[in-house]
Short mmCIF file of all heavy atoms in Angstrom, two decimals:
data_model
loop_
_atom_site.label_atom_id
_atom_site.label_comp_id
_atom_site.label_asym_id
_atom_site.label_seq_id
_atom_site.Cartn_x
_atom_site.Cartn_y
_atom_site.Cartn_z
N ASN W 276 57.98 132.04 91.27
CA ASN W 276 56.76 131.45 90.71
C ASN W 276 55.54 132.32 90.70
O ASN W 276 54.57 132.07 90.00
CB ASN W 276 56.42 130.11 91.41
CG ASN W 276 57.45 129.08 91.23
OD1 ASN W 276 58.08 128.95 90.22
ND2 ASN W 276 57.69 128.22 92.28
N VAL W 277 55.61 133.36 91.44
CA VAL W 277 54.44 134.31 91.61
C VAL W 277 54.24 135.12 90.33
O VAL W 277 55.11 135.84 89.88
CB VAL W 277 54.60 135.26 92.80
CG1 VAL W 277 53.57 136.32 92.83
CG2 VAL W 277 54.61 134.46 94.09
N LYS W 278 53.01 134.95 89.73
CA LYS W 278 52.63 135.69 88.52
C LYS W 278 51.65 136.79 88.78
O LYS W 278 51.38 137.58 87.91
CB LYS W 278 52.07 134.69 87.54
CG LYS W 278 52.99 133.49 87.17
CD LYS W 278 54.33 133.99 86.63
CE LYS W 278 55.28 132.85 86.31
NZ LYS W 278 56.61 133.29 85.90
N ALA W 279 51.01 136.80 89.94
CA ALA W 279 50.05 137.83 90.30
C ALA W 279 49.92 137.82 91.86
O ALA W 279 50.12 136.79 92.48
CB ALA W 279 48.71 137.59 89.66
N VAL W 280 49.49 138.97 92.35
CA VAL W 280 49.33 139.05 93.82
C VAL W 280 47.92 139.56 94.17
O VAL W 280 47.37 140.49 93.54
CB VAL W 280 50.36 140.06 94.38
CG1 VAL W 280 50.16 140.21 95.88
CG2 VAL W 280 51.77 139.56 94.12
N LEU W 281 47.32 138.90 95.18
CA LEU W 281 46.02 139.34 95.65
C LEU W 281 46.20 139.85 97.06
O LEU W 281 46.67 139.17 97.96
CB LEU W 281 45.05 138.16 95.71
CG LEU W 281 43.70 138.41 96.44
CD1 LEU W 281 42.95 139.60 95.80
CD2 LEU W 281 42.80 137.15 96.41
N ILE W 282 45.79 141.12 97.27
CA ILE W 282 45.72 141.67 98.64
C ILE W 282 44.25 141.66 99.10
O ILE W 282 43.43 142.35 98.46
CB ILE W 282 46.30 143.07 98.66
CG1 ILE W 282 47.78 143.09 98.22
CG2 ILE W 282 46.21 143.71 100.01
CD1 ILE W 282 48.38 144.44 98.09
N ASN W 283 43.99 141.00 100.15
CA ASN W 283 42.61 140.84 100.64
C ASN W 283 42.57 141.20 102.15
O ASN W 283 43.01 140.52 102.95
CB ASN W 283 42.14 139.40 100.46
CG ASN W 283 40.66 139.22 100.74
OD1 ASN W 283 39.92 140.22 100.87
ND2 ASN W 283 40.25 138.00 100.93
N ILE W 284 42.07 142.44 102.37
CA ILE W 284 42.10 142.99 103.74
C ILE W 284 40.71 143.32 104.21
O ILE W 284 39.94 143.99 103.46
CB ILE W 284 42.96 144.26 103.81
CG1 ILE W 284 44.43 143.98 103.34
CG2 ILE W 284 42.96 144.87 105.22
CD1 ILE W 284 45.19 143.10 104.27
N PHE W 285 40.35 142.86 105.39
CA PHE W 285 39.13 143.25 106.02
C PHE W 285 39.47 144.14 107.21
O PHE W 285 40.08 143.69 108.13
CB PHE W 285 38.30 142.05 106.52
CG PHE W 285 36.96 142.45 107.15
CD1 PHE W 285 35.88 142.73 106.30
CD2 PHE W 285 36.87 142.64 108.51
CE1 PHE W 285 34.73 143.19 106.91
CE2 PHE W 285 35.68 143.04 109.10
CZ PHE W 285 34.59 143.33 108.24
N GLY W 286 39.12 145.43 107.09
CA GLY W 286 39.59 146.39 108.10
C GLY W 286 38.67 146.38 109.31
O GLY W 286 37.54 146.90 109.29
N GLY W 287 39.16 145.82 110.38
CA GLY W 287 38.48 145.91 111.67
C GLY W 287 39.38 146.78 112.54
O GLY W 287 39.19 148.01 112.66
N ILE W 288 40.37 146.17 113.16
CA ILE W 288 41.38 146.95 113.88
C ILE W 288 42.23 147.72 112.87
O ILE W 288 42.50 148.93 113.06
CB ILE W 288 42.28 145.96 114.69
CG1 ILE W 288 41.44 145.27 115.73
CG2 ILE W 288 43.43 146.81 115.37
CD1 ILE W 288 42.19 144.14 116.50
N VAL W 289 42.67 147.04 111.80
CA VAL W 289 43.48 147.77 110.80
C VAL W 289 42.62 148.62 109.92
O VAL W 289 41.50 148.20 109.54
CB VAL W 289 44.30 146.69 110.01
CG1 VAL W 289 43.38 145.80 109.24
CG2 VAL W 289 45.23 147.42 109.01
N ARG W 290 43.07 149.85 109.58
CA ARG W 290 42.34 150.71 108.72
C ARG W 290 42.72 150.49 107.28
O ARG W 290 43.90 150.42 106.92
CB ARG W 290 42.64 152.21 109.13
CG ARG W 290 42.00 152.58 110.42
CD ARG W 290 42.55 153.92 110.97
NE ARG W 290 43.09 154.81 109.87
CZ ARG W 290 43.88 155.82 110.15
NH1 ARG W 290 44.31 156.07 111.33
NH2 ARG W 290 44.30 156.60 109.14
N CYS W 291 41.69 150.40 106.41
CA CYS W 291 41.96 150.16 105.01
C CYS W 291 42.75 151.25 104.36
O CYS W 291 43.55 150.99 103.44
CB CYS W 291 40.63 149.97 104.27
SG CYS W 291 39.76 148.45 104.76
N ASP W 292 42.59 152.47 104.77
CA ASP W 292 43.30 153.57 104.17
C ASP W 292 44.88 153.43 104.40
O ASP W 292 45.69 153.78 103.57
CB ASP W 292 42.81 154.92 104.59
CG ASP W 292 42.87 155.13 106.12
OD1 ASP W 292 42.58 154.13 106.81
OD2 ASP W 292 43.11 156.23 106.57
N ARG W 293 45.17 152.96 105.61
CA ARG W 293 46.60 152.72 105.95
C ARG W 293 47.21 151.63 105.02
O ARG W 293 48.30 151.74 104.53
CB ARG W 293 46.78 152.30 107.40
CG ARG W 293 46.53 153.42 108.41
CD ARG W 293 46.66 152.96 109.79
NE ARG W 293 48.02 152.45 110.10
CZ ARG W 293 48.34 151.83 111.21
NH1 ARG W 293 47.43 151.59 112.14
NH2 ARG W 293 49.62 151.43 111.40
N VAL W 294 46.38 150.60 104.80
CA VAL W 294 46.87 149.51 103.89
C VAL W 294 46.98 150.04 102.50
O VAL W 294 47.99 149.70 101.76
CB VAL W 294 45.87 148.34 104.00
CG1 VAL W 294 46.27 147.21 102.99
CG2 VAL W 294 45.74 147.72 105.39
N ALA W 295 46.01 150.84 102.06
CA ALA W 295 46.09 151.38 100.71
C ALA W 295 47.33 152.22 100.51
O ALA W 295 48.03 152.14 99.43
CB ALA W 295 44.82 152.19 100.42
N ASN W 296 47.63 153.05 101.45
CA ASN W 296 48.88 153.85 101.37
C ASN W 296 50.09 152.96 101.29
O ASN W 296 51.07 153.23 100.58
CB ASN W 296 48.95 154.78 102.56
CG ASN W 296 48.07 156.02 102.49
OD1 ASN W 296 47.94 156.54 101.38
ND2 ASN W 296 47.49 156.44 103.61
N GLY W 297 50.07 151.86 102.07
CA GLY W 297 51.19 150.88 102.01
C GLY W 297 51.28 150.24 100.68
O GLY W 297 52.41 150.04 100.14
N VAL W 298 50.15 149.88 100.09
CA VAL W 298 50.21 149.26 98.75
C VAL W 298 50.76 150.17 97.68
O VAL W 298 51.63 149.80 96.94
CB VAL W 298 48.76 148.81 98.37
CG1 VAL W 298 48.77 148.31 96.93
CG2 VAL W 298 48.29 147.67 99.29
N VAL W 299 50.28 151.42 97.72
CA VAL W 299 50.79 152.40 96.74
C VAL W 299 52.28 152.65 96.89
O VAL W 299 53.03 152.64 95.93
CB VAL W 299 50.00 153.74 96.89
CG1 VAL W 299 50.64 154.80 96.04
CG2 VAL W 299 48.53 153.54 96.57
N GLN W 300 52.68 152.82 98.14
CA GLN W 300 54.14 153.06 98.47
C GLN W 300 54.97 151.85 98.00
O GLN W 300 56.05 152.01 97.39
CB GLN W 300 54.33 153.29 99.95
CG GLN W 300 55.72 153.61 100.36
CD GLN W 300 55.83 153.88 101.86
OE1 GLN W 300 54.89 154.21 102.53
NE2 GLN W 300 57.01 153.66 102.42
N ALA W 301 54.49 150.65 98.29
CA ALA W 301 55.29 149.48 97.94
C ALA W 301 55.35 149.30 96.43
O ALA W 301 56.47 148.95 95.86
CB ALA W 301 54.58 148.22 98.53
N VAL W 302 54.25 149.52 95.73
CA VAL W 302 54.28 149.32 94.22
C VAL W 302 55.21 150.36 93.62
O VAL W 302 55.95 150.04 92.70
CB VAL W 302 52.84 149.57 93.68
CG1 VAL W 302 52.87 149.68 92.18
CG2 VAL W 302 51.93 148.42 94.12
N LYS W 303 55.23 151.62 94.09
CA LYS W 303 56.12 152.61 93.60
C LYS W 303 57.60 152.33 93.93
O LYS W 303 58.49 152.44 93.06
CB LYS W 303 55.76 153.99 94.11
CG LYS W 303 54.45 154.55 93.58
CD LYS W 303 54.12 155.92 94.16
CE LYS W 303 52.86 156.48 93.55
NZ LYS W 303 52.49 157.82 94.09
N GLU W 304 57.87 151.93 95.18
CA GLU W 304 59.26 151.76 95.57
C GLU W 304 59.87 150.46 95.04
O GLU W 304 61.05 150.42 94.67
CB GLU W 304 59.36 151.70 97.08
CG GLU W 304 59.13 153.06 97.77
CD GLU W 304 59.37 153.06 99.28
OE1 GLU W 304 60.01 152.09 99.73
OE2 GLU W 304 58.93 153.94 99.94
N LEU W 305 59.07 149.39 94.92
CA LEU W 305 59.61 148.14 94.53
C LEU W 305 59.50 147.90 93.02
O LEU W 305 60.09 146.94 92.51
CB LEU W 305 58.80 147.00 95.26
CG LEU W 305 58.93 146.96 96.80
CD1 LEU W 305 58.05 145.85 97.37
CD2 LEU W 305 60.41 146.90 97.24
N GLY W 306 58.79 148.74 92.31
CA GLY W 306 58.69 148.63 90.92
C GLY W 306 58.07 147.29 90.51
O GLY W 306 58.68 146.54 89.71
N LEU W 307 56.91 146.96 91.04
CA LEU W 307 56.32 145.68 90.80
C LEU W 307 56.04 145.38 89.30
O LEU W 307 55.58 146.21 88.62
CB LEU W 307 55.04 145.50 91.60
CG LEU W 307 55.14 145.68 93.09
CD1 LEU W 307 53.76 145.35 93.73
CD2 LEU W 307 56.18 144.79 93.68
N LYS W 308 56.39 144.23 88.88
CA LYS W 308 56.16 143.82 87.48
C LYS W 308 55.10 142.75 87.34
O LYS W 308 54.98 142.18 86.21
CB LYS W 308 57.51 143.35 86.92
CG LYS W 308 58.60 144.46 86.88
CD LYS W 308 59.88 143.91 86.30
CE LYS W 308 60.94 145.06 86.36
NZ LYS W 308 62.26 144.55 85.79
N VAL W 309 54.40 142.46 88.41
CA VAL W 309 53.31 141.45 88.30
C VAL W 309 52.02 142.19 88.64
O VAL W 309 52.00 143.21 89.37
CB VAL W 309 53.51 140.30 89.24
CG1 VAL W 309 54.77 139.53 88.91
CG2 VAL W 309 53.55 140.76 90.71
#
C-alpha cells in the first residue's frame, strides 16, 4: 500500500550524515520505485 516514504530524522545522538549515507545506499541497492 505504500506509495511514498518520508524519512524524518533529528540528529542528536545519531549523525545525519550517517543516515544520509544509509538512505543513498538503500535507494541504490533496493532500486526504490516510490
Side-chain angles (χ1 to χ4, degrees):
N276 294 326
V277 171
K278 304 302 180 186
V280 177
L281 170 59
I282 299 176
N283 187 15
I284 301 292
F285 182 81
I288 299 173
V289 62
R290 287 167 28 197
C291 291
D292 57 322
R293 289 178 62 189
V294 176
N296 282 322
V298 171
V299 172
Q300 184 179 337
V302 171
K303 289 180 176 178
E304 289 186 16
L305 300 178
L307 300 188
K308 297 180 181 179
V309 298

